[in-house]
Amino acid sequence: MLTVTSLFSAQSLAQDTALHRRLDFIHYLIGREEYKDAIFLLEKEIKEPLQRSHPLSDSIYHLMGWSAYMQKDLTNSSLWFEKVSLQSTSYLKCRLFATYNSIYLGDTLHARELLQGLRPDTGWQTELVAFEKGGLNLLSRDLAAYRRIAASFTHTFYPLVQEERRFDQIATLLEQNKPKSMTLAAMMSAVLPGSGKVYAGKTGEGVSSFLIVTVLGLITWENYRQDGLSDYKTILAGTALGFYYVGNIWGSAFAAQRQNKRYNYEINQRILFDLHIPLRTIFN
Amino acid sequence: MKLINVYFLIFTFLYAPFSIRAGEEQRKADSLYRTGAFYEASVEYERCYYFADSPVLRCQAILGKANCLKQLGEYGKAAARLAQAPLQGLEDTLAFQLQYQMAFCQYLAADFQTANGLLADLRLRYVQPELLVQTEFLQFLLWNELRQYDSAELTAVRYVKLRYTDPFHANGILRILEQHYDQQNLPHLKNANSAVWMSRIVPGLGQTWLGHPGEGAVNFVLNAASLGLGIFGVVSGYPITGYFLGTGFLQKFYFGGINRTKYLSQKVNYQRAKRFNDKSRAMILNL
């Protein structure tokens, strides 16, 4: 009986040792930034019909999530990070990276769910979770909610000090920002071709549009003066002028919209960047 | 005592594989390579490298991995991996193979300057005739790619003299080489600057000189028509229309023609050099 028990426990020990050896190699591959190879081996491990201890399974999921994250495969990275159990020492890291992945992929609802489920047990963890929530509120432009959360920032935890300050600056910028009006841009271009684009921040495009409309106008006028309104050359030049004039009004309205989108995109990129840096600083 | 023996046997049975694992891993990698599973083999060779306990085994694993990457067409990655090989304390043959493979991978990755630098270093370090034959072969290919045809011919001559000891055989090959590298047979490469200047002075002339007369003629006609349209407009009392339409079209066709000439000169030279280099490579491989 004792011999059989010993045989099984020895076999299980050997299996775990072999797995540890394989995981060592995967760690080495990740250290060398050979993420594709690491994922290839981790997938093989996951497919193996072995009885693994919880910590070992968590290690595999964690490494899989990390490799996928480094390969910028954020969807799969989230899937693996979320499989890591609460007992794991890397649970907080995995949840926060899964949250970041979801935010980056635009699934803010899921990101909120992940953050809600976290129970940080130390001061810096609480502040980090609050910081991530604050970033989410900035991304969804809920500035009142951001200000409420920002009131709890201590501004003393080193990896967050600069990012918290930048979040405050972004919130102020967003409060002061006046979006460009599409109607105003269109009206300005109707009165003076190209001026709507200048208002939308596209000075070069505005000047170019003004010159083209002027040249087309001069060509139409010249042909009209020489051959009258019904001549085909006047009609051709006039049609080109008409199309360009109306197109420029339309383009000015969309230039204003594009400018607003670009502004929001740039702000969002800054928020995402600031959300990301502390995670890499703390958990690297 | 009996129980102790049983335990001993159990643990010996379970742990014996660990002691011979290095050899097993190497065999597994070799077997995967032989079956054409190059990606899997490359990962296994990396495992061999990680668990190897001597610099020789590590370098052999790196060579194996580089071969897999070459088969996968990842030449740059193969060269980068070879560059990380620990060369200290290695015997000359293995160290030479690592460095030679690194230069060869750079050649395959079309980074000819780097490959040439690595090879120059290699030729200074290793002077054994059997190793020099290999370097002369790669050097010949590189000089051709770098369009240094005089040096390529000299290298080919040295290669033949090192490889063939029979003077009758060697002389026959040297005659073929001399004919191949005759001034008349070398690729006539065009000067890109001259072509561009021709197109600046007479639109379409550069394209014609580069061997595309049809394209040159079309470009010339388009430029002339644009200029004619402008002049005709101004003369017939439409100065604004003539000026803007004429200059607008002329500007597009004139500068478009110049840009096209630049592109064509690179394309023509590349094709001519490639044709000659392919022929040279086939010739030396058939020796």
Side-chain angles (χ1 to χ4, degrees):
Chain A
M1 184 67 185
L2 182 67
T3 310
V4 172
T5 315
S6 301
L7 182 65
F8 276 115
S9 60
Q11 194 177 11
S12 151
L13 180 67
Q15 269 180 5
D16 266 9
T17 314
L19 180 57
H20 272 297
R21 191 179 151 93
R22 296 201 294 273
L23 285 181
D24 269 355
F25 176 57
I26 292 168
H27 271 290
Y28 158 78
L29 287 177
I30 291 174
R32 281 184 52 82
E33 300 181 3
E34 304 268 11
Y35 302 112
K36 190 183 154 201
D37 296 358
I39 290 172
F40 169 75
L41 292 178
L42 285 164
E43 276 173 349
K44 273 171 72 174
E45 290 297 341
I46 288 163
K47 282 177 197 158
E48 282 279 323
L50 281 177
Q51 279 289 93
R52 277 186 293 264
S53 60
H54 259 302
L56 279 176
S57 293
D58 281 338
S59 283
I60 290 173
Y61 299 146
H62 171 209
L63 292 175
M64 194 73 176
W66 186 252
S67 302
Y69 162 80
M70 294 305 284
Q71 288 274 82
K72 296 187 174 56
D73 178 4
L74 301 188
T75 311
N76 277 321
S77 169
S78 285
L79 283 175
W80 292 112
F81 275 142
E82 285 178 40
K83 277 179 187 279
V84 173
S85 70
L86 188 62
Q87 290 77 34
S88 167
T89 47
S90 53
Y91 177 74
L92 182 72
K93 173 189 175 183
C94 293
R95 282 278 142 164
L96 286 172
F97 272 97
T99 306
Y100 176 77
N101 290 343
S102 296
I103 296 173
Y104 193 88
L105 293 167
D107 190 355
T108 46
L109 201 70
H110 185 58
R112 274 182 205 285
E113 281 170 15
L114 288 170
L115 284 178
Q116 290 305 333
L118 280 174
R119 297 281 172 270
D121 48 16
T122 60
W124 70 265
Q125 290 181 357
T126 312
E127 181 147 3
L128 181 59
V129 172
F131 175 78
E132 296 291 317
K133 284 181 182 168
L136 258 172
N137 287 326
L138 280 181
L139 282 168
S140 51
R141 302 292 186 265
D142 187 351
L143 298 179
Y146 169 74
R147 290 291 183 202
R148 275 197 301 278
I149 286 177
S152 70
F153 291 169
T154 60
H155 297 282
T156 52
F157 180 45
Y158 175 71
L160 291 177
V161 172
Q162 280 189 354
E163 283 72 16
E164 285 173 347
R165 200 179 306 134
R166 278 204 290 268
F167 269 8
D168 284 342
Q169 287 166 355
I170 290 172
T172 311
L173 270 177
L174 287 170
E175 279 159 356
Q176 291 168 352
N177 177 47
K178 284 182 187 153
K180 305 282 179 194
S181 158
M182 286 174 77
T183 320
L184 182 61
M187 280 165 61
M188 284 175 77
S189 272
V191 176
L192 180 66
S195 61
K197 285 186 178 170
V198 175
Y199 158 74
K202 306 276 175 194
T203 312
E205 275 183 39
V207 172
S208 154
S209 299
F210 175 77
L211 290 175
I212 292 172
V213 172
T214 308
V215 167
L216 285 171
L218 284 170
I219 292 173
T220 311
W221 169 78
E222 186 181 64
N223 284 281
Y224 167 70
R225 200 189 53 158
Q226 296 276 5
D227 305 308
L229 196 61
S230 55
D231 185 74
Y232 79 95
K233 293 196 289 294
T234 313
I235 294 170
L236 210 66
T239 311
L241 171 66
F243 271 115
Y244 204 86
Y245 177 76
V246 175
N248 180 46
I249 294 172
W250 188 261
S252 300
F254 279 97
Q257 191 193 40
R258 242 181 20 243
Q259 184 65 13
N260 290 337
K261 276 188 181 168
R262 204 181 126 200
Y263 177 81
N264 281 320
Y265 173 79
E266 279 172 6
I267 290 280
N268 287 351
Q269 289 305 110
R270 281 167 63 184
I271 297 168
L272 284 169
F273 181 77
D274 285 335
L275 274 174
H276 193 200
I277 295 299
L279 294 182
R280 293 299 298 266
T281 314
I282 295 167
F283 295 110
N284 252 4
Chain B
M1 190 64 197
K2 200 175 174 185
L3 197 63
I4 291 168
N5 278 344
V6 170
Y7 276 123
F8 177 77
L9 283 172
I10 289 167
F11 284 99
T12 306
F13 172 71
L14 288 169
Y15 286 102
F18 290 111
S19 59
I20 53 165
R21 186 154 270 165
E24 255 179 47
E25 277 156 357
Q26 179 78 36
R27 273 195 294 279
K28 189 180 172 190
D30 291 343
S31 147
L32 284 166
Y33 183 85
R34 275 195 299 275
T35 55
F38 300 118
Y39 176 70
E40 287 82 349
S42 81
V43 177
E44 288 309 318
Y45 279 120
E46 191 63 53
R47 197 195 297 273
C48 295
Y49 173 85
Y50 180 63
F51 289 113
D53 50 12
S54 77
V56 173
L57 287 175
R58 278 196 199 109
C59 290
Q60 281 170 347
I62 286 183
L63 271 175
K65 176 153 184 167
N67 281 332
C68 295
L69 292 172
K70 270 197 289 180
Q71 295 289 348
L72 293 166
E74 295 184 41
Y75 307 120
K77 210 174 160 187
R81 190 66 190 97
L82 284 160
Q84 294 162 348
L87 296 175
Q88 290 83 1
L90 284 187
E91 60 180 59
D92 269 6
T93 325
L94 189 55
F96 171 85
Q97 277 309 324
L98 282 160
Q99 285 179 287
Y100 176 78
Q101 282 300 324
M102 190 157 59
F104 190 58
C105 287
Q106 293 290 13
Y107 163 76
L108 291 172
D111 187 352
F112 305 122
Q113 290 292 357
T114 308
N116 202 34
L118 289 168
L119 204 61
D121 182 46
L122 202 62
R123 286 158 66 84
L124 282 176
R125 287 186 198 197
Y126 306 97
V127 288
Q128 299 93 316
E130 68 277 10
L131 303 181
L132 267 180
V133 179
Q134 247 180 307
T135 59
E136 296 289 15
F137 175 75
L138 182 56
Q139 186 69 76
F140 166 76
L141 298 175
L142 279 168
W143 284 136
N144 276 310
E145 292 296 344
L146 293 166
R147 298 176 189 176
Q148 306 275 321
Y149 298 116
D150 289 344
S151 306
E153 187 182 4
L154 287 174
T155 311
V157 169
R158 280 202 305 270
Y159 173 72
V160 169
K161 283 179 180 168
L162 277 168
R163 198 176 148 186
Y164 299 99
T165 43
D166 170 23
F168 181 73
H169 196 177
N171 284 339
I173 296 168
L174 289 175
R175 268 197 300 279
I176 298 171
L177 272 173
E178 201 180 330
Q179 200 183 352
H180 181 72
Y181 281 96
D182 188 82
Q183 203 60 37
Q184 284 181 334
N185 295 329
L186 290 178
H188 299 290
L189 304 179
K190 300 280 188 180
N191 186 321
N193 276 339
S194 306
V196 167
W197 269 107
M198 283 181 194
S199 278
R200 273 188 192 141
I201 295 161
V202 181
L205 185 63
Q207 285 107 306
T208 308
W209 185 61
L210 290 168
H212 290 75
E215 210 176 290
V218 170
N219 191 247
F220 180 79
V221 169
L222 287 171
N223 274 283
S226 306
L227 191 64
L229 178 73
I231 293 168
F232 177 74
V234 173
V235 170
S236 36
Y238 297 90
I240 298 171
T241 311
Y243 175 77
F244 284 111
L245 281 185
T247 50
F249 283 123
L250 187 65
Q251 189 244 0
K252 291 285 172 200
F253 291 129
Y254 181 75
F255 290 107
I258 289 172
N259 287 337
R260 176 75 185 157
T261 307
K262 267 185 215 165
Y263 167 76
L264 271 182
S265 61
Q266 285 168 356
K267 188 181 162 189
V268 165
N269 285 343
Y270 171 77
Q271 283 174 337
R272 288 182 183 183
K274 187 177 182 302
R275 212 173 302 133
F276 180 79
N277 293 344
D278 287 348
K279 214 169 134 187
S280 310
R281 192 163 46 243
M283 184 192 69
I284 202 145
L285 285 172
N286 288 328
L287 287 182

